[in-house]
Amino acid sequence: HANAAAQIPLGLILIALNEAMNPAPTALAIAALLIIGRSMHGIYFGLPTTHFRLRIYGMALTLLAQILGLIGIALGLLF
């Protein structure tokens, strides 16, 4: 799926940068949100009887992971 081809590499880059910059377990939280979000988004497309909200919540978790990743990088640069 084209969406996954764009979102997963970006998420992995953000996870790697957070792991390198922050001693806190932020990378683990970002990874968990990314995995859960992408799984929910994919399940919507894989199972024809799932509700549309699964896709929306999955994408919301993916975006939340990316936002937290960017915040973690910004904090790592400032402190």
Side-chain angles (χ1 to χ4, degrees), residues 55-74:
R55 179 182 184 193
I56 294 171
Y57 294 150
M59 206 51 225
L61 286 177
T62 301
L63 291 175
L64 179 62
Q66 292 174 354
I67 291 168
L68 290 176
L70 291 172
I71 290 171
I73 292 169

Side-chain angles (χ1 to χ4, degrees), residues 40-69:
M40 289 172 66
H41 192 262
I43 289 170
Y44 168 77
F45 288 104
L47 300 175
T49 59
T50 56
H51 197 273
F52 189 73
R53 287 185 195 155
L54 196 62
R55 179 182 184 193
I56 294 171
Y57 294 150
M59 206 51 225
L61 286 177
T62 301
L63 291 175
L64 179 62
Q66 292 174 354
I67 291 168
L68 290 176

